[in-house]
Amino acid sequence: MAKEIVLSGIRPTGFLHLGNYFGAVQNYVRMQYEYDCYFFVADLHSLTTHPDTKSLRQNVHRLLGELLASGLDPDQAVIYVQSDVPEIAELYLYLNMLAYKGELEKTVTFKDKVRQQPQNINAGLLTYPVLQAADILIHRAVKVPVGKDQEQHLEMARNFAERFNHRYGEVLPLPYPFNYGASLTKILSLDGNGKMSKSENQMVTIYLADEDDLIRKKIMKAKTDSGPAVPGMPKPDYIENLFTLMQLVSPAETASAYLQDYENGAIRYGDMKKQLAEDMVAYIKPIREKAKSIENDKEYLTYIIEKGGEKARANAVETIKLVRKAMHLDYV
Ligand code: TYM
């Protein structure tokens, strides 16, 4: 039986952080052995917010280095750069005719960007979810490993696919977000103010590229309080986030011992953060070092980009043929 198709992408707009890693990349690494996987660098999406392309090449190479260092294997998954597959742009054009201004304007990420960059509210920003839908539908993917922040984009992708199928015939399967855990992941920033993100305050975001001492410093500064007023009371978000991180990088016994301390009202956050910092350093260091060496191996990167691009394109061409046929855009 054919394996289910999986697709996901990341924008090359900065160093990968723990949110990207635990919300998305860690799932990719596991999924590549179980599904037919496509993972890509979303360079076209980055143009909606980063029109200056001078450092794009370096950013794309770095992101590929980080993905490969995290365990993505080009023999298991197709790894490629979005702009190497022009069929995505073609499908984007068709889907744009099925996407309505009102719904695009209501998208949470669009409203956020309007606030962040009022001087550059371009049409690409408005139709960002349409391009994302094209990324997914071009491979007829059904599972999309993403963090919680992408839920709405996935819902829109399903809407566009349904409209296409309704109008032109069943061509595009409906894609759903995926996470191995019970729910999609959201890693908060270390000050507890919203999600960890690539571009906001760098001292509250831990990047895979951070040096050991910087990781320690950031974790020791993470927001805590004087402990639970009543033993076992529900944890505030920023405390829950520290426990989440600990469960992700520390041995299970360590995390459960601190959890027990919390339940008993005997938690010492200073000690917990010291432990978390050391476990985080041990977790990140090998990824950081490997990523650096891959990023500098231009020959290997060229091989990855070319090989992945070819495979992704071959599959995309098949979908575009079906799409054009369904739309009666075939004249000979
Ligand atoms: P991007 O580049 O912002 O983020 C890449 C992935 O990281 C996840 N993520 C998080 N997960 C948990 N906690 C966080 N704090 C956190 N921050 C980021 C994101 O959910 C995402 O999975 N629009 C996408 C890129 C994209 C895409 C696609 C994804 C373009 N086309 C097609 C899937 C399918 C984005 O901006 O991700």
Side-chain angles (χ1 to χ4, degrees), residues 91-167:
L91 184 57
Y92 167 57
L93 186 147
Y94 302 145
L95 295 176
N96 266 324
M97 317 303 175
L98 301 169
Y100 301 108
K101 178 171 164 277
E103 64 184 335
L104 296 171
E105 280 170 345
K106 274 193 273 174
T107 314
V108 174
T109 47
F110 176 68
K111 290 196 283 188
D112 284 349
K113 293 290 186 254
V114 167
R115 270 193 296 274
Q116 287 162 14
Q117 54 179 63
Q119 76 298 349
N120 182 19
I121 308 173
N122 58 75
L125 211 49
L126 183 68
T127 56
Y128 183 112
V130 188
L131 181 55
Q132 180 157 346
D135 293 329
I136 301 168
L137 302 174
I138 199 72
H139 292 301
R140 286 168 278 161
V142 291
K143 284 192 162 62
V144 184
V146 283
K148 183 133 186 74
D149 60 324
Q150 297 297 314
E151 220 165 17
Q152 189 180 29
H153 287 166
L154 263 291
E155 189 186 335
M156 295 174 84
R158 288 194 296 281
N159 289 339
F160 303 146
E162 268 181 334
R163 279 178 214 160
F164 183 96
N165 292 341
H166 183 70
R167 180 165 294 272

Coordinates of all heavy atoms in Angstrom, one line a residue, residues 91-167:
L91 N 0.1 26.6 -9.2 CA -1.1 26.2 -8.5 C -1.6 27.4 -7.6 O -2.8 27.6 -7.4 CB -0.7 25.0 -7.6 CG -1.9 24.4 -6.8 CD1 -3.1 24.0 -7.7 CD2 -1.4 23.2 -6.0
Y92 N -0.6 28.1 -7.1 CA -1.0 29.3 -6.3 C -1.9 30.3 -7.1 O -2.9 30.8 -6.6 CB 0.3 30.0 -5.9 CG 0.4 31.4 -5.3 CD1 -0.3 31.7 -4.1 CD2 1.2 32.4 -5.9 CE1 -0.2 33.0 -3.6 CE2 1.3 33.6 -5.3 CZ 0.6 33.9 -4.2 OH 0.7 35.2 -3.6
L93 N -1.5 30.5 -8.3 CA -2.3 31.3 -9.2 C -3.8 30.8 -9.3 O -4.7 31.5 -9.1 CB -1.7 31.4 -10.6 CG -2.3 32.4 -11.6 CD1 -1.1 33.0 -12.4 CD2 -3.3 31.7 -12.5
Y94 N -3.9 29.5 -9.6 CA -5.3 28.9 -9.7 C -6.0 29.1 -8.4 O -7.2 29.4 -8.4 CB -5.2 27.5 -10.1 CG -4.5 27.2 -11.4 CD1 -3.7 26.1 -11.6 CD2 -4.5 28.1 -12.5 CE1 -3.0 25.8 -12.8 CE2 -3.8 27.9 -13.7 CZ -3.1 26.8 -13.8 OH -2.4 26.5 -15.0
L95 N -5.4 28.7 -7.3 CA -6.1 28.8 -6.0 C -6.5 30.2 -5.6 O -7.4 30.4 -4.9 CB -5.2 28.1 -4.9 CG -4.9 26.7 -5.0 CD1 -4.0 26.2 -3.9 CD2 -6.2 25.8 -5.0
N96 N -5.7 31.2 -6.1 CA -6.0 32.6 -5.8 C -7.4 33.0 -6.3 O -8.1 33.8 -5.7 CB -5.0 33.5 -6.4 CG -3.9 33.9 -5.4 OD1 -4.2 34.0 -4.2 ND2 -2.7 34.0 -5.8
M97 N -7.9 32.3 -7.3 CA -9.2 32.6 -7.9 C -10.3 32.0 -7.0 O -11.5 32.3 -7.2 CB -9.4 32.0 -9.3 CG -8.2 32.2 -10.2 SD -7.7 34.0 -10.4 CE -6.2 33.7 -11.4
L98 N -9.9 31.1 -6.1 CA -10.9 30.5 -5.2 C -10.7 31.0 -3.8 O -11.3 30.4 -2.8 CB -10.6 29.0 -5.2 CG -10.8 28.3 -6.6 CD1 -10.3 26.9 -6.5 CD2 -12.2 28.3 -7.1
A99 N -9.9 32.0 -3.6 CA -9.7 32.6 -2.2 C -10.3 34.0 -2.2 O -10.1 34.7 -3.1 CB -8.2 32.6 -1.9
Y100 N -11.0 34.3 -1.1 CA -11.8 35.5 -1.1 C -11.1 36.6 -0.2 O -10.5 36.2 0.9 CB -13.2 35.3 -0.7 CG -13.8 34.4 -1.7 CD1 -14.1 33.0 -1.3 CD2 -14.0 34.8 -3.0 CE1 -14.6 32.2 -2.3 CE2 -14.5 33.9 -4.0 CZ -14.8 32.6 -3.6 OH -15.3 31.8 -4.6
K101 N -11.1 37.8 -0.6 CA -10.5 38.9 0.1 C -10.9 38.9 1.6 O -10.1 39.1 2.5 CB -10.9 40.2 -0.6 CG -10.4 41.5 0.0 CD -10.7 42.6 -0.9 CE -10.5 44.0 -0.3 NZ -11.7 44.4 0.5
G102 N -12.2 38.8 1.8 CA -12.7 38.8 3.2 C -12.0 37.8 4.1 O -11.6 38.1 5.2
E103 N -12.0 36.6 3.7 CA -11.4 35.5 4.5 C -9.9 35.7 4.7 O -9.3 35.5 5.8 CB -11.7 34.1 4.0 CG -11.1 33.8 2.7 CD -11.5 32.5 2.1 OE1 -11.8 31.6 2.9 OE2 -11.4 32.3 0.8
L104 N -9.2 36.2 3.7 CA -7.8 36.5 3.8 C -7.5 37.6 4.8 O -6.5 37.5 5.5 CB -7.2 36.8 2.4 CG -7.3 35.6 1.4 CD1 -6.9 36.1 0.0 CD2 -6.4 34.5 1.8
E105 N -8.3 38.6 4.7 CA -8.1 39.7 5.6 C -8.3 39.4 7.1 O -7.8 40.0 8.0 CB -9.0 40.9 5.2 CG -8.5 41.7 4.1 CD -9.5 42.7 3.5 OE1 -10.7 42.6 3.9 OE2 -9.1 43.6 2.8
K106 N -9.1 38.3 7.3 CA -9.4 37.9 8.7 C -8.4 36.9 9.3 O -8.4 36.6 10.4 CB -10.8 37.2 8.7 CG -11.9 38.2 8.9 CD -13.2 37.5 9.2 CE -13.9 37.0 8.0 NZ -15.1 36.3 8.0
T107 N -7.4 36.5 8.4 CA -6.4 35.6 8.9 C -5.6 36.2 10.0 O -5.1 37.3 9.9 CB -5.5 35.2 7.8 OG1 -6.3 34.9 6.6 CG2 -4.6 34.0 8.1
V108 N -5.4 35.4 11.1 CA -4.6 36.0 12.3 C -3.2 36.4 11.9 O -2.8 37.5 12.3 CB -4.6 35.0 13.4 CG1 -3.7 35.5 14.6 CG2 -6.0 34.6 13.9
T109 N -2.5 35.6 11.1 CA -1.1 36.0 10.8 C -1.1 37.2 9.9 O -0.2 38.1 10.0 CB -0.4 34.8 10.0 OG1 -1.3 34.4 9.0 CG2 0.0 33.7 10.9
F110 N -2.1 37.4 9.0 CA -2.1 38.6 8.2 C -2.3 39.9 9.1 O -1.6 40.9 9.0 CB -3.2 38.5 7.2 CG -3.4 39.8 6.4 CD1 -2.4 40.2 5.5 CD2 -4.5 40.6 6.5 CE1 -2.5 41.4 4.7 CE2 -4.7 41.8 5.7 CZ -3.7 42.2 4.9
K111 N -3.3 39.7 10.1 CA -3.5 40.9 11.0 C -2.3 41.2 11.8 O -2.0 42.4 12.0 CB -4.7 40.6 11.8 CG -6.0 40.6 11.0 CD -7.3 40.7 11.9 CE -7.6 39.4 12.5 NZ -8.9 39.3 13.2
D112 N -1.6 40.2 12.2 CA -0.3 40.4 13.0 C 0.7 41.2 12.1 O 1.3 42.1 12.6 CB 0.4 39.1 13.4 CG -0.3 38.4 14.5 OD1 -1.2 39.1 15.1 OD2 -0.1 37.2 14.8
K113 N 0.8 40.7 10.9 CA 1.9 41.3 10.0 C 1.5 42.8 9.7 O 2.3 43.6 9.5 CB 2.0 40.5 8.7 CG 2.6 39.2 8.9 CD 4.1 39.2 9.3 CE 4.8 37.9 9.4 NZ 5.1 37.4 10.7
V114 N 0.2 43.0 9.5 CA -0.3 44.4 9.2 C 0.2 45.3 10.4 O 0.6 46.5 10.2 CB -1.8 44.4 9.1 CG1 -2.3 45.9 9.1 CG2 -2.2 43.8 7.8
R115 N 0.1 44.8 11.6 CA 0.5 45.6 12.8 C 2.0 45.7 12.8 O 2.6 46.8 13.0 CB 0.1 44.9 14.1 CG -1.2 45.3 14.6 CD -1.4 44.8 16.0 NE -1.5 43.4 16.1 CZ -2.5 42.6 15.9 NH1 -3.7 43.2 15.7 NH2 -2.5 41.3 16.0
Q116 N 2.8 44.6 12.4 CA 4.2 44.7 12.5 C 4.9 45.5 11.3 O 5.9 46.1 11.5 CB 4.8 43.3 12.4 CG 4.6 42.5 13.7 CD 4.7 41.0 13.5 OE1 5.3 40.5 12.5 NE2 4.3 40.2 14.5
Q117 N 4.3 45.5 10.1 CA 4.9 46.2 9.0 C 3.9 47.0 8.2 O 3.6 46.7 7.1 CB 5.7 45.2 8.1 CG 4.8 44.0 7.6 CD 5.6 43.1 6.7 OE1 6.6 42.5 7.1 NE2 5.3 42.9 5.4
P118 N 3.3 48.0 8.9 CA 2.3 48.8 8.2 C 2.8 49.5 6.9 O 1.9 49.8 6.1 CB 1.9 49.9 9.3 CG 3.1 49.9 10.3 CD 3.7 48.5 10.2
Q119 N 4.1 49.6 6.8 CA 4.6 50.3 5.6 C 4.7 49.3 4.4 O 5.0 49.7 3.3 CB 6.0 50.9 5.9 CG 7.2 49.9 6.0 CD 7.1 48.9 7.1 OE1 6.2 48.9 8.0 NE2 8.0 47.9 7.0
N120 N 4.4 48.0 4.6 CA 4.6 47.0 3.5 C 3.5 46.0 3.5 O 3.8 44.8 3.7 CB 6.0 46.4 3.6 CG 6.2 45.4 2.4 OD1 5.5 45.4 1.4 ND2 7.2 44.5 2.6
I121 N 2.2 46.4 3.4 CA 1.1 45.5 3.4 C 0.9 45.0 2.0 O 0.0 45.6 1.3 CB -0.1 46.1 4.0 CG1 0.2 46.7 5.4 CG2 -1.3 45.0 4.1 CD1 -0.9 47.4 6.0
N122 N 1.7 44.1 1.5 CA 1.7 43.7 0.1 C 0.7 42.6 -0.2 O 0.2 41.9 0.8 CB 3.1 43.4 -0.4 CG 3.7 42.2 0.4 OD1 3.3 41.1 0.2 ND2 4.6 42.5 1.3
A123 N 0.4 42.4 -1.5 CA -0.6 41.4 -1.8 C -0.1 40.0 -1.5 O -0.9 39.1 -1.1 CB -1.0 41.5 -3.3
G124 N 1.2 39.8 -1.5 CA 1.8 38.5 -1.1 C 1.5 38.1 0.3 O 1.2 37.0 0.6
L125 N 1.5 39.2 1.1 CA 1.2 39.0 2.6 C -0.3 38.5 2.7 O -0.6 37.6 3.5 CB 1.4 40.3 3.3 CG 1.9 40.3 4.7 CD1 3.1 39.4 4.9 CD2 2.2 41.7 5.1
L126 N -1.2 39.2 2.0 CA -2.6 38.8 2.0 C -2.8 37.4 1.6 O -3.6 36.7 2.2 CB -3.4 39.8 1.2 CG -4.9 39.7 1.2 CD1 -5.4 40.0 2.6 CD2 -5.5 40.5 0.1
T127 N -2.1 37.0 0.5 CA -2.4 35.7 -0.1 C -1.4 34.6 0.4 O -1.3 33.5 -0.1 CB -2.4 35.8 -1.6 OG1 -1.1 36.3 -2.0 CG2 -3.4 36.6 -2.2
Y128 N -0.7 34.9 1.5 CA 0.3 34.0 2.1 C -0.4 32.6 2.3 O 0.2 31.6 1.9 CB 0.8 34.6 3.4 CG 1.8 33.8 4.2 CD1 3.1 34.3 4.3 CD2 1.5 32.6 4.8 CE1 4.1 33.6 5.0 CE2 2.5 31.9 5.5 CZ 3.8 32.4 5.6 OH 4.7 31.7 6.2
P129 N -1.6 32.5 2.9 CA -2.2 31.2 3.1 C -2.5 30.5 1.8 O -2.6 29.2 1.8 CB -3.5 31.5 3.9 CG -3.4 32.9 4.4 CD -2.5 33.6 3.4
V130 N -2.7 31.2 0.7 CA -2.9 30.5 -0.6 C -1.7 29.9 -1.1 O -1.7 28.7 -1.6 CB -3.5 31.5 -1.6 CG1 -3.9 30.8 -2.9 CG2 -4.6 32.4 -1.0
L131 N -0.5 30.6 -0.9 CA 0.7 30.0 -1.3 C 1.0 28.8 -0.5 O 1.5 27.7 -1.0 CB 1.9 31.0 -1.2 CG 3.3 30.6 -1.6 CD1 3.3 30.0 -3.0 CD2 4.3 31.7 -1.5
Q132 N 0.7 28.9 0.8 CA 1.0 27.7 1.7 C 0.1 26.5 1.3 O 0.5 25.4 1.3 CB 0.7 28.1 3.2 CG 0.9 27.0 4.1 CD 1.2 27.4 5.5 OE1 1.5 28.6 5.8 NE2 1.1 26.5 6.5
A133 N -1.1 26.8 0.9 CA -2.0 25.8 0.4 C -1.4 25.1 -0.8 O -1.4 23.9 -1.0 CB -3.4 26.3 0.2
A134 N -0.9 25.9 -1.7 CA -0.3 25.4 -3.0 C 0.9 24.5 -2.6 O 1.1 23.4 -3.2 CB 0.1 26.5 -3.9
D135 N 1.7 24.9 -1.6 CA 2.8 24.1 -1.2 C 2.4 22.7 -0.8 O 3.1 21.7 -1.2 CB 3.5 24.6 0.1 CG 4.1 26.0 -0.1 OD1 4.6 26.2 -1.2 OD2 4.1 26.8 0.9
I136 N 1.3 22.6 -0.1 CA 0.8 21.3 0.4 C 0.1 20.5 -0.7 O 0.4 19.3 -0.9 CB -0.2 21.6 1.6 CG1 0.5 22.4 2.7 CG2 -0.8 20.3 2.1 CD1 -0.5 23.0 3.7
L137 N -0.8 21.2 -1.4 CA -1.6 20.5 -2.4 C -0.8 20.0 -3.6 O -1.2 19.1 -4.2 CB -2.8 21.4 -2.8 CG -3.7 21.8 -1.6 CD1 -4.7 22.8 -2.0 CD2 -4.3 20.6 -0.9
I138 N 0.3 20.7 -3.9 CA 1.1 20.3 -5.1 C 1.6 18.9 -4.9 O 1.8 18.2 -5.9 CB 2.2 21.4 -5.3 CG1 2.7 21.3 -6.8 CG2 3.4 21.1 -4.4 CD1 1.9 21.8 -7.8
H139 N 1.8 18.5 -3.7 CA 2.2 17.1 -3.5 C 1.1 16.2 -3.0 O 1.3 15.0 -2.6 CB 3.4 17.0 -2.4 CG 4.6 17.7 -2.9 ND1 5.3 17.3 -4.1 CD2 5.4 18.8 -2.5 CE1 6.3 18.0 -4.3 NE2 6.4 18.9 -3.4
R140 N -0.1 16.7 -3.0 CA -1.3 16.0 -2.5 C -1.0 15.4 -1.2 O -1.3 14.2 -0.9 CB -1.7 14.9 -3.6 CG -2.4 15.6 -4.8 CD -2.5 14.7 -5.9 NE -1.3 14.6 -6.7 CZ -1.0 13.6 -7.6 NH1 -1.9 12.6 -7.7 NH2 0.1 13.6 -8.3
A141 N -0.4 16.2 -0.3 CA -0.1 15.7 1.1 C -1.3 15.7 1.9 O -2.2 16.6 1.8 CB 1.0 16.7 1.7
V142 N -1.4 14.8 2.9 CA -2.5 14.7 3.8 C -2.2 15.0 5.2 O -3.0 15.3 6.0 CB -3.2 13.3 3.7 CG1 -3.9 13.2 2.3 CG2 -2.3 12.2 3.9
K143 N -0.9 14.8 5.5 CA -0.4 15.1 6.9 C 0.6 16.2 6.9 O 1.6 16.1 6.1 CB 0.2 13.9 7.6 CG -0.8 12.9 8.0 CD -0.1 11.8 8.9 CE -1.1 11.0 9.7 NZ -2.1 10.2 8.9
V144 N 0.4 17.3 7.7 CA 1.3 18.4 7.7 C 1.8 18.7 9.1 O 1.1 19.2 10.0 CB 0.6 19.6 7.1 CG1 1.5 20.8 7.0 CG2 0.0 19.3 5.8
P145 N 3.0 18.2 9.5 CA 3.5 18.5 10.8 C 3.9 20.0 11.0 O 4.8 20.5 10.4 CB 4.8 17.6 10.9 CG 5.2 17.4 9.5 CD 4.0 17.5 8.6
V146 N 3.2 20.6 11.9 CA 3.4 22.0 12.2 C 3.1 22.3 13.7 O 2.5 21.5 14.3 CB 2.4 22.9 11.3 CG1 2.8 23.0 9.9 CG2 1.0 22.4 11.4
G147 N 3.5 23.5 14.1 CA 3.1 23.9 15.4 C 1.7 24.5 15.4 O 1.1 24.7 14.4
K148 N 1.2 24.9 16.6 CA -0.1 25.3 16.8 C -0.5 26.6 16.0 O -1.6 26.8 15.5 CB -0.4 25.5 18.3 CG -1.8 26.0 18.7 CD -2.3 25.2 19.9 CE -3.7 25.5 20.1 NZ -4.7 24.9 19.2
D149 N 0.6 27.4 15.8 CA 0.3 28.7 15.1 C -0.1 28.5 13.7 O -0.6 29.5 13.0 CB 1.6 29.6 15.2 CG 2.8 28.9 14.6 OD1 2.9 27.7 14.7 OD2 3.6 29.6 14.0
Q150 N 0.1 27.3 13.1 CA -0.3 27.1 11.7 C -1.7 26.5 11.5 O -2.1 26.2 10.4 CB 0.8 26.2 11.0 CG 2.2 26.8 11.0 CD 2.2 28.1 10.2 OE1 1.7 28.2 9.1 NE2 2.8 29.1 10.8
E151 N -2.4 26.3 12.6 CA -3.7 25.6 12.5 C -4.6 26.3 11.5 O -5.3 25.6 10.7 CB -4.3 25.6 13.9 CG -5.0 24.3 14.2 CD -5.3 24.2 15.7 OE1 -5.2 25.3 16.4 OE2 -5.5 23.1 16.2
Q152 N -4.7 27.6 11.6 CA -5.6 28.3 10.8 C -5.3 28.2 9.3 O -6.1 28.1 8.4 CB -5.7 29.8 11.2 CG -6.8 30.6 10.5 CD -6.9 32.0 10.9 OE1 -5.9 32.6 11.2 NE2 -8.1 32.6 10.8
H153 N -3.9 28.3 9.0 CA -3.5 28.1 7.6 C -3.9 26.8 7.0 O -4.3 26.6 5.9 CB -2.0 28.3 7.5 CG -1.5 29.7 7.7 ND1 -0.2 30.0 7.9 CD2 -2.2 30.9 7.7 CE1 -0.1 31.3 8.0 NE2 -1.3 31.9 7.9
L154 N -3.9 25.7 7.9 CA -4.2 24.4 7.4 C -5.7 24.3 7.1 O -6.2 23.7 6.2 CB -3.8 23.4 8.5 CG -2.5 22.7 8.3 CD1 -2.6 21.7 7.1 CD2 -1.4 23.6 8.0
E155 N -6.5 25.0 8.0 CA -7.9 25.0 7.8 C -8.3 25.7 6.4 O -9.1 25.2 5.7 CB -8.6 25.7 8.9 CG -10.1 25.6 9.0 CD -10.7 26.5 10.1 OE1 -10.0 26.8 11.0 OE2 -11.9 26.9 9.9
M156 N -7.5 26.8 6.2 CA -7.8 27.5 4.9 C -7.4 26.6 3.7 O -8.0 26.6 2.7 CB -7.0 28.8 4.9 CG -7.5 29.7 6.0 SD -6.5 31.2 6.1 CE -7.3 32.2 4.8
A157 N -6.3 25.9 3.9 CA -5.8 25.0 2.8 C -6.9 24.0 2.5 O -7.2 23.7 1.3 CB -4.5 24.3 3.2
R158 N -7.5 23.4 3.5 CA -8.6 22.5 3.3 C -9.8 23.1 2.5 O -10.4 22.6 1.6 CB -9.1 21.9 4.6 CG -8.1 20.9 5.2 CD -8.8 20.1 6.3 NE -9.2 20.8 7.5 CZ -8.4 21.3 8.4 NH1 -7.1 21.0 8.4 NH2 -8.9 22.0 9.4
N159 N -10.1 24.4 3.0 CA -11.2 25.1 2.3 C -10.9 25.3 0.8 O -11.8 25.1 -0.1 CB -11.4 26.5 2.9 CG -12.1 26.3 4.3 OD1 -12.7 25.3 4.6 ND2 -11.9 27.3 5.1
F160 N -9.7 25.7 0.5 CA -9.3 26.0 -0.9 C -9.4 24.6 -1.7 O -9.9 24.6 -2.8 CB -7.9 26.6 -1.1 CG -7.8 27.9 -0.3 CD1 -6.5 28.2 0.3 CD2 -8.8 28.8 -0.2 CE1 -6.4 29.4 0.9 CE2 -8.7 30.0 0.5 CZ -7.5 30.3 1.1
A161 N -8.9 23.6 -1.1 CA -8.9 22.3 -1.8 C -10.3 21.8 -2.0 O -10.7 21.4 -3.1 CB -8.2 21.2 -1.0
E162 N -11.2 22.0 -1.0 CA -12.6 21.6 -1.2 C -13.3 22.4 -2.3 O -14.0 21.9 -3.1 CB -13.4 21.8 0.1 CG -13.3 20.6 1.0 CD -14.1 20.7 2.3 OE1 -14.2 21.9 2.8 OE2 -14.5 19.7 2.8
R163 N -13.0 23.7 -2.3 CA -13.6 24.5 -3.4 C -13.1 24.1 -4.8 O -13.9 24.0 -5.7 CB -13.2 26.0 -3.2 CG -14.1 26.7 -2.1 CD -13.6 28.1 -1.9 NE -13.9 28.4 -0.5 CZ -13.3 29.4 0.2 NH1 -12.4 30.2 -0.5 NH2 -13.5 29.6 1.4
F164 N -11.8 23.8 -4.8 CA -11.3 23.3 -6.1 C -12.0 22.0 -6.6 O -12.5 21.9 -7.7 CB -9.8 23.1 -6.0 CG -9.2 22.7 -7.3 CD1 -8.6 23.6 -8.2 CD2 -9.2 21.3 -7.8 CE1 -8.0 23.2 -9.4 CE2 -8.7 21.0 -9.0 CZ -8.1 21.9 -9.8
N165 N -12.1 21.1 -5.6 CA -12.7 19.8 -6.0 C -14.1 19.9 -6.3 O -14.6 19.3 -7.2 CB -12.5 18.8 -4.8 CG -11.1 18.4 -4.5 OD1 -10.3 18.6 -5.4 ND2 -10.8 18.0 -3.3
H166 N -14.8 20.8 -5.6 CA -16.2 21.0 -5.9 C -16.5 21.6 -7.3 O -17.3 21.2 -8.0 CB -16.8 22.0 -4.8 CG -18.2 22.2 -4.9 ND1 -19.2 21.2 -4.6 CD2 -18.9 23.3 -5.3 CE1 -20.4 21.7 -4.8 NE2 -20.3 23.0 -5.2
R167 N -15.6 22.5 -7.6 CA -15.8 23.2 -8.9 C -15.3 22.4 -10.1 O -15.9 22.3 -11.2 CB -15.1 24.6 -8.9 CG -15.2 25.4 -10.2 CD -14.8 26.8 -10.0 NE -15.7 27.5 -9.1 CZ -16.8 28.1 -9.6 NH1 -17.2 28.1 -10.8 NH2 -17.6 28.8 -8.7

